[in-house]
Structure formats: structure tokens, C-alpha cells
Amino acid sequence: MPQGADLFEIMQTTRAMRRLKPDPVPEDLIRQILEAGVCAANGGNTQRWRFLVIKDPKIKTAVQVFYKRAFDEVVGPRYKNSTPPPGVTRERYDRQHAAVEYLTDHFHEAPVWIVACLDEGTATPTRGSGASIYPAVQNMLLAARALGLGATLTTRHLLHEKEAEAALGLPPGVRSYAILPIGYPMGKFGPVGRGPLGDIVYQDRWGNPYPGL
Ligand SMILES: Cc1cc2nc3c(=O)[nH]c(=O)nc-3n(C[C@H](O)[C@H](O)[C@H](O)COP(=O)(O)O)c2cc1C
């Protein structure tokens, strides 16, 4: 997709791209992704976000151990017993599951990770904390897509937060909120699968259909 392609088309095709080539990602593209990240809104414009770009295979491998452990203990069994979400066929859901397993095994092979963090000091993280980092994360996912790079928003390492953050070498007071494995995708970008708006949008009173659809 050429640069500057329609934003709506980019949003509609920014899927979790879990199968990535090991080819390196040029520095100027990583910089563009990071610059898109810091365009995002953040509470009070305090900009407590910090981004750790990881290329070192040793660090990625150390973190992958916990990502995989969380799959084996929690995510894998949960997938096996779950039904497809709205807007997703059984076949597509099974393909997603296979891709999730693939990324689990190859997490550390993505050529670059961006770890999105907040420097929170001694403050206890709240729902509001996430609200100051996930807009930046989404901007980076959209930017990666616009640049022809695949990425996935991942948070599973948080199931083993202490160990994973120690492996990432985060200093005290800094917490991670997402790891984005980024690389050139093996497959093609395609449309996201979501349920109809009519099922989730109401007007004035909860449950009252919104007529504007
Ligand atoms: C909060 C959050 C956490 C996620 N964590 C992971 C993760 O750890 N591993 C993963 O493979 N995908 C993760 N995802 C991606 C979702 O699984 C993905 O968006 C979903 O499967 C739908 O796929 P699509 O975006 O390609 O349509 C996460 C997404 C969100 C929003």
C-alpha cells in the first residue's frame, strides 16, 4: 500500500499479522512508527510513555519463554474451549488460533519489538494509566500497516509480568503495557472481522437501537 493511503482503508486492514519474515526492518521505518506513536493523546500531556526498541535476540528469547508459558498454561486451553467471536467464522477462528500458536513459537524471531511502557514511579496503575499508552500503541500499529509492516498488539507476557519485565530489564517504576513484534508479513493484509454495529450501538437508552446505521 502506498504511503498516505486512505486512513479508513488502513484501519479496516490493520489486522494482527502474526507470521513475520526475519528480514530486518529499516531504521527510518522504525522511527516513523515511533513518531506516529507519540502523536497520540495522553492524559494531561504528561508523556510518561517510554518505548524500548528490542532487537537483541537474547532478550527476545528470554521473554518468549514467559510468553510461551502463558500460552501453555492459559491461552491455549482457553482457545480450545471457546466459540468464534462476532463476525468471525469457525474456519477463520481456527486459522486465528493457528496463527496465535505460530506467533507464540516464533515471538522472539520477529526482527524488532517495540515495548510500550509507562514511567509511573510509585503510582499504582489504574484503568486510566492504560488510556495514556494504548492510543500510542494503536497509532504505531496503524503506522506499521501504512508502511507495509506487520505487527500485533500483544499483552500476554503480563501473565508473567514480573519475570518478563525483569527479562526486559525495565527499571523500578516503569511498567510495560504491550509488546509489538514487527516485521515484514509473510501473508497479505486483509479486512478485519468484526460483528455488526447494530449489535453494539444504542441511542439514548441502553438497548435502544441507534437508527443511524
Ligand atoms: C489488549 C489486547 C491484547 C492482545 N494480546 C495479544 C497477545 O498477547 N497475543 C496475540 O497473538 N494477540 C493479541 N492481541 C490481538 C488480538 O488477539 C486480535 O486483535 C484478535 O485476534 C483479532 O484479530 P484481528 O485484529 O487480526 O482482527 C491482543 C489484542 C488486544 C487489544
Side-chain angles (χ1 to χ4, degrees), residues 15-16 18 67 96 100 103 152-156 192-194:
R15 290 171 47 203
R18 297 186 174 94
Y67 191 75
Q96 177 185 311
V100 166
L103 179 62
T152 301
L153 194 176
T154 80
T155 59
R156 193 197 305 156
V192 298
R194 306 288 188 255

Side-chain angles (χ1 to χ4, degrees), residues 110-207:
V112 60
W113 289 1
I114 295 178
V115 186
C117 304
L118 282 177
D119 187 349
E120 295 172 296
T122 53
T124 308
T126 63
R127 231 188 295 189
S129 323
S132 275
I133 188 71
Y134 291 120
V137 167
Q138 181 66 12
N139 268 10
M140 292 194 288
L141 293 171
L142 294 170
R145 166 70 191 97
L147 294 167
L149 290 162
T152 301
L153 194 176
T154 80
T155 59
R156 193 197 305 156
H157 71 287
L158 295 176
L159 290 172
H160 294 290
E161 181 180 342
K162 264 201 174 144
E163 296 90 335
E165 291 187 343
L168 287 166
L170 301 189
V174 175
R175 292 187 182 85
S176 64
Y177 282 77
I179 298 177
L180 310 185
I182 300 174
Y184 288 99
M186 289 183 183
K188 292 196 179 96
F189 294 101
V192 298
R194 306 288 188 255
L197 280 180
D199 291 351
I200 54 168
V201 184
Y202 313 129
Q203 178 167 308
D204 296 331
R205 279 172 295 283
W206 195 260

Side-chain angles (χ1 to χ4, degrees), residues 96-110:
Q96 177 185 311
H97 189 188
V100 166
E101 204 159 353
Y102 179 92
L103 179 62
T104 300
D105 293 335
H106 298 268
F107 199 49
H108 52 300
E109 293 165 20

Side-chain angles (χ1 to χ4, degrees), residues 46-64:
T46 51
Q47 301 176 44
R48 284 177 295 111
W49 46 37
R50 301 289 180 270
F51 302 95
L52 187 58
V53 177
I54 300 199
K55 296 183 180 179
D56 185 336
K58 278 200 216 100
I59 300 173
K60 288 186 287 177
T61 304
V63 176
Q64 189 266 351

